[in-house]
Amino acid sequence: MAERLRFPPLAKEMAAEFAGTLILILFGVGVVAQVIAGSGLTDGALGDHDSIAWAWGIGVTLGVYVAARMTGGHINPAVTVALALFKRFPWNKVAPYVLAQTAGAFVAALFVRWNYTEVLAAFDPGHTIKSQLVFSTLPGNGTLPVGMWGGFRDQVIGTAILLFLVMALTDLRNNPPLANLTPFIIGLVVVGIGMAWGTDAGYAINPARDLGPRLAQYLTGYGGAWRDQHGDLYFWVPIAGPLIGGAIGAGLYLFLIGRNLPPP
């Protein structure tokens, strides 16, 4: 019986990426639901931007720890693709990893949507742009004067910062954090990005983080999920921007630092 229950290695890796990304989104989308919808009904008593930044960072830390032994804890297609581009990850695993990450984000967002059903209905009965930001990102966080291309620029820059630092923190030649603290430090990186780069586009910096929840909200009553507050078809921005930015950030690290380090 034990022999029959054994899964192929890739299936185990996909399960780890699914679970790690699910944990990330449970914390991340959950805190946005609490701060936007919950605080909207309680005069801001349930959190603020700092709450969001810290909860996303905690979600990243715990998600990476969940998947770390099996996969290293990518939980982000931008990480997976950047590693493959620079020959640190096999291309034949990229699509399965991205599928697992997006599925994990989708399922987690469905849990958040279900759990916050009553609060979302009271805060935004029509399920409009008012609460769309709970699940997916918008330029200028839905209110500030930022458009589609400003959001795209922001996603390229933010994810470049993320991948530059992920590469630095995981390079064994570069004095990485010891005692298994790398996921914790990467979580702090995300907190910092949220606090410094959260205005223009909500710092998705992860295609699965945005696409999975966006699909979940569309299937549960948000008819405008694919567009932003300006009516532009925006869903592609938090996908393409992070993929491009991740490649740039990883490449810059290897060019500026990695190629100058001694061999392990």
Side-chain angles (χ1 to χ4, degrees):
M1 179 62 71
E3 291 293 331
R4 294 178 184 175
L5 293 177
R6 287 183 178 176
F7 294 98
L10 181 57
K12 295 177 183 178
E13 294 171 32
M14 291 177 67
E17 286 294 308
F18 173 91
T21 314
L22 183 140
I23 292 298
L24 163 64
I25 300 303
L26 286 176
F27 280 89
V29 171
V31 72
V32 181
Q34 176 169 289
V35 170
I36 291 182
S39 292
L41 297 171
T42 58
D43 296 324
L46 296 176
D48 54 19
H49 175 77
D50 286 353
S51 305
I52 293 173
W54 279 108
W56 274 109
I58 291 169
V60 167
T61 294
L62 298 178
V64 173
Y65 272 125
V66 164
R69 184 63 181 266
M70 289 297 303
T71 67
H74 295 192
I75 65 171
N76 183 341
V79 172
T80 303
V81 171
L83 292 177
L85 279 171
F86 294 101
K87 300 181 180 179
R88 282 160 170 74
F89 187 74
W91 275 107
N92 64 340
K93 290 185 178 183
V94 169
Y97 270 49
V98 170
L99 177 63
Q101 293 155 358
T102 306
F106 172 73
V107 171
L110 286 179
F111 275 117
V112 174
R113 178 70 174 88
W114 180 34
N115 192 58
Y116 278 90
T117 297
E118 298 86 356
V119 173
L120 288 168
F123 176 71
D124 182 18
H127 301 313
T128 67
I129 200 77
K130 182 180 179 181
S131 63
Q132 182 175 323
L133 195 64
V134 167
F135 298 94
S136 55
T137 58
L138 292 167
N141 291 315
T143 58
L144 298 173
V146 180
M148 181 170 64
W149 292 108
F152 179 79
R153 174 196 63 222
D154 174 85
Q155 286 301 285
V156 171
I157 296 171
T159 317
I161 295 169
L162 174 67
L163 261 294
F164 187 97
L165 294 172
V166 165
M167 295 290 284
L169 291 167
T170 57
D171 191 339
L172 296 179
R173 304 168 301 156
N174 194 32
N175 293 331
L178 301 178
N180 201 25
L181 284 174
T182 300
F184 175 73
I185 304 301
I186 291 175
L188 291 181
V189 168
V190 173
V191 173
I193 291 174
M195 289 182 171
W197 294 87
T199 296
D200 279 4
Y203 71 106
I205 57 176
N206 181 337
R209 170 267 173 272
D210 197 87
L211 180 59
R214 194 179 293 269
L215 179 60
Q217 73 176 153
Y218 175 74
L219 294 176
T220 58
Y222 285 81
W226 308 108
R227 296 184 180 274
D228 63 19
Q229 69 272 25
H230 308 296
D232 294 323
L233 201 62
Y234 186 78
F235 77 93
W236 65 273
V237 170
I239 298 173
L243 291 175
I244 294 169
I248 292 172
L252 281 173
Y253 171 78
L254 293 172
F255 177 73
L256 295 172
I257 305 295
R259 70 187 182 122
N260 299 317
L261 295 173

